[in-house]
Amino acid sequence: MNARFHRAAMTAVLLAAGAAQAEPSSGLLLAQPCAGCHGQDGAGQGATPAIAGLDREAFLEAWAAFRADARPATVMNRITKGYTEEEAALLADHFASLQ
Amino acid sequence: MTHLTRRRFGALAGASALALSSPALLRAQTAGRLVVIGGGFGGASAARFARIHYPDVSVTLVEPWDRFITCPYGNLILGGMKTLADITHSYDGLRARGVEVIHDRATAIDPESHRVRLEGGTELDYDKLILSPGIALRWGAIEGYDEAAAGIFPHAWMGGDGSQITLLRQQIEALPEGGVVGLAIPANPFRCPPGPYERISMIAHYLKQANPTAKILAFDAKEGFSKQGLFQDAWAELYGDMIEWVPSNQDGRIVRVDPANRLFVSEFGTEHRVDVGNVIPPQYAAAIARDSGLADESGWVPVDPRSFAARMAPDIHVIGDASLASPLPKSGFMANSTAKIAVAAALAELTGSAPPADPVYFNTCYSHAGEDYAFSVVGIFRPAEDGFAETPDSGGTSPRGPLAEMAETRALEAEYADAWYASITQDMFS
């Protein structure tokens, strides 16, 4: 009861404020783990290459090659097989949009 | 209506009126209060992600220690490849981003009134709570293994103040020539499934140079372990017969220790004398999670696979090692990955919108087995009907093969492991 009342109060605040909160896109959420190795926003880290600003087509071409075991890899061949084509496209769009 | 609620409603109504008159005040973080308990891989990642992507939400991080010593790469201290300073991180970066960092211990959560009590007496109200408290050791689960015993047989399985990993390193340095290092390794589930085996490797790496006739006896409460083939290949290739792994079906389960006499005692009563004993005991969720009634009989916290909301308290999202989320491994990367989905889900709910659609949880764990010699396991997980499932035909471990053929791959993975450590700690603390 208290929690519900409180939530209603919160919603009132947000509505009053015009709900300015921009939620992270699915592409941004999907891309989060990439920062675990490729540096912040895909900027590259040590031996791990930068992927920020990579052309969309180049990203997808590399992705497909990893996925088909047609490009030398350590982990990317195993990683790419865990995502759908739609998800790969979201990732490509996301990293293409970063500088 | 309680006094508390009335008071809070008053404060919120005030904020609402201000927000109407001045949109700039939105940046005053009036949209809600996110409290994060635990400043490790889950909690620090959650606080930072929330601060960056939800500027209107206030973020408070509660963590007892004023700096964070990672468990990952702790084994490299034993191998002589890293120092404690290399794996110690400051919370100043999070503070600079606007996270309120409170160094205190959360002692109680009241899910009804949405309030957290801290040891120092402070009480924090939250709209959403991210709980990432990590593990506690089950003292006494191995007879004779209590906090005092850990001063003789270190566990070195929690970062804390760094004293445990430092003690283990000192003991290994002081090992008599040809002495025995014993490890007691728990059954699943436990923090960092490949961790004990990386530890064995790193101890061997050090001893190979400093004390080449020493032995490592690894007693295991399991019959198999993470990346087993890769580790055993590495041990044979790099360390000859220095390492003996004793699985549970060969009486490897240690049920009692006697630190004063430096004894490990097995399930069937065999006594093993060790010069150095590293006891990694069975574990469960940290006390705050169990004391708040969030854990089930296993001692871990069942969670919703789309939001990490605790089954017992939906406004509390429990991430990291404390959660019961098999087959997701209890790893730092997993905690980091789930942290962001949990924040997005929690804060979407706060704003009345839909939680993230089709979340994907991602893990890669690197293990170092020697100099320029590492390998990995990759896992991509998704919500399933009643829990989590690994995505079929994906992930898995690095390929096995003779060192002559694999040397380049192992060396590359060692470099990528270092890049992982640098990247993930930036994603937590920068």
Side-chain angles (χ1 to χ4, degrees):
Chain A
M1 170 63 193
N2 287 345
R4 195 176 309 139
F5 183 70
H6 179 62
R7 195 170 300 131
M10 289 311 310
T11 307
V13 170
L14 290 167
L15 288 175
Q21 202 72 68
E23 281 161 36
S25 67
S26 10
L28 186 135
L29 278 180
L30 203 58
Q32 286 304 307
C34 308
C37 292
H38 286 274
Q40 285 298 296
D41 295 321
Q45 178 67 55
T48 308
I51 48 176
L54 202 59
D55 174 74
R56 184 180 194 276
E57 294 313 310
F59 184 102
L60 288 173
E61 199 175 303
W63 187 273
F66 280 132
R67 206 170 195 280
D69 292 314
R71 177 177 169 149
T74 53
V75 293
M76 284 311 300
N77 51 341
R78 290 176 269 156
I79 292 170
T80 47
K81 292 183 181 75
Y83 291 87
T84 64
E85 273 184 44
E86 292 72 25
E87 288 166 342
L90 281 172
L91 289 169
D93 287 337
H94 175 77
F95 286 108
S97 76
L98 301 174
Q99 286 316 303
Chain B
M1 196 199 295
T2 63
H3 172 72
L4 169 67
T5 307
R6 200 179 300 119
R7 182 171 59 76
R8 288 167 69 198
F9 179 66
L12 286 163
S16 173
L18 284 170
L20 273 172
S21 62
S22 170
L25 274 173
L26 275 179
R27 290 290 175 266
Q29 301 167 3
T30 54
R33 288 163 301 188
L34 181 72
V35 172
V36 181
I37 296 178
F41 280 81
S45 303
R48 184 172 178 276
F49 182 74
R51 183 68 286 125
I52 291 172
H53 294 290
Y54 298 87
D56 304 343
V57 173
S58 77
V59 182
T60 302
L61 177 67
V62 179
E63 161 61 40
W65 299 101
D66 63 4
R67 63 212 166 116
F68 183 68
I69 296 172
T70 60
C71 283
Y73 272 55
N75 289 329
L76 276 66
I77 293 178
L78 304 177
M81 296 169 174
K82 295 283 173 193
T83 65
L84 198 59
D86 294 329
I87 63 163
T88 301
H89 301 269
S90 157
Y91 290 98
D92 289 349
L94 290 179
R95 277 200 187 86
R97 283 189 179 275
V99 174
E100 184 192 8
V101 182
I102 300 175
H103 292 303
D104 201 342
R105 188 178 297 277
T107 53
I109 301 166
D110 182 348
E112 283 296 309
S113 62
H114 284 201
R115 179 169 265 208
V116 177
R117 191 161 58 242
L118 309 184
E119 202 166 59
T122 308
E123 296 200 335
L124 298 172
D125 291 332
Y126 65 84
D127 296 302
K128 291 286 178 181
L129 181 65
I130 300 279
L131 183 58
S132 187
I135 58 163
L137 305 177
R138 288 183 183 250
W139 301 117
I142 294 174
E143 191 187 334
Y145 197 67
D146 55 17
E147 284 186 81
I152 300 170
F153 285 162
H155 54 80
W157 213 243
M158 293 164 73
D161 62 358
S163 59
Q164 278 281 307
I165 195 76
T166 302
L167 175 62
L168 184 55
R169 166 73 186 173
Q170 287 165 348
Q171 289 182 345
I172 289 165
E173 282 174 333
L175 184 74
E177 192 181 331
V180 173
V181 177
L183 289 93
I185 303 169
N188 294 321
F190 65 100
R191 162 176 283 179
C192 191
Y197 314 97
E198 181 188 65
R199 175 166 293 178
I200 291 166
S201 311
M202 287 294 98
I203 294 172
H205 175 72
Y206 169 77
L207 292 176
K208 185 181 175 182
Q209 304 151 53
N211 192 344
T213 57
K215 290 281 176 210
I216 300 173
L217 293 178
F219 300 100
D220 209 323
K222 303 180 292 302
E223 289 182 26
F225 59 87
S226 173
K227 308 180 211 175
Q228 182 169 348
L230 288 158
F231 274 114
Q232 290 181 322
D233 290 349
W235 294 345
E237 284 164 352
L238 301 176
Y239 309 118
D241 58 359
M242 179 182 277
I243 299 164
E244 186 184 345
W245 174 68
V246 187
S248 57
N249 59 357
Q250 290 169 36
D251 198 20
R253 194 164 83 89
I254 298 303
V255 297
R256 186 165 73 83
V257 294
D258 177 354
N261 294 302
R262 300 200 168 274
L263 290 179
F264 282 9
V265 184
S266 75
E267 192 172 8
F268 295 104
T270 312
E271 294 188 349
H272 301 275
R273 198 180 177 288
V274 297
D275 296 295
V276 171
N278 172 211
V279 177
I280 305 168
Q283 300 147 29
Y284 47 15
I288 184 71
R290 287 177 289 112
D291 294 349
S292 306
L294 302 174
D296 70 8
E297 65 283 355
S298 72
W300 307 101
V301 180
V303 291
D304 179 278
R306 296 188 163 271
S307 65
F308 279 75
R311 296 284 192 195
M312 281 73 154
D315 288 326
I316 304 177
H317 298 251
V318 182
I319 55 170
D321 296 345
S323 64
L324 178 64
S326 173
L328 274 55
K330 295 187 185 301
S331 76
F333 206 152
M334 198 81 258
N336 167 275
S337 171
T338 55
K340 292 156 179 189
I341 300 294
V343 166
L347 298 182
E349 207 176 284
L350 195 63
T351 59
S353 51
D358 308 317
V360 180
Y361 305 110
F362 180 89
N363 182 65
T364 292
C365 281
Y366 287 101
S367 298
H368 289 273
E371 189 92 55
D372 301 325
Y373 193 125
F375 38 75
S376 58
V377 60
V378 171
I380 297 116
F381 306 88
R382 293 157 198 272
E385 205 155 294
D386 192 30
F388 301 86
E390 185 158 10
T391 307
D393 305 316
S394 73
T397 54
S398 307
R400 291 174 70 181
L403 186 53
E405 289 169 27
M406 301 306 293
E408 194 186 343
T409 301
R410 303 282 183 255
L412 264 178
E413 291 222 68
E415 278 192 66
Y416 292 150
D418 291 347
W420 168 80
Y421 186 83
S423 282
I424 201 105
T425 51
Q426 274 177 32
D427 203 46
M428 298 161 67
F429 295 113
S430 72

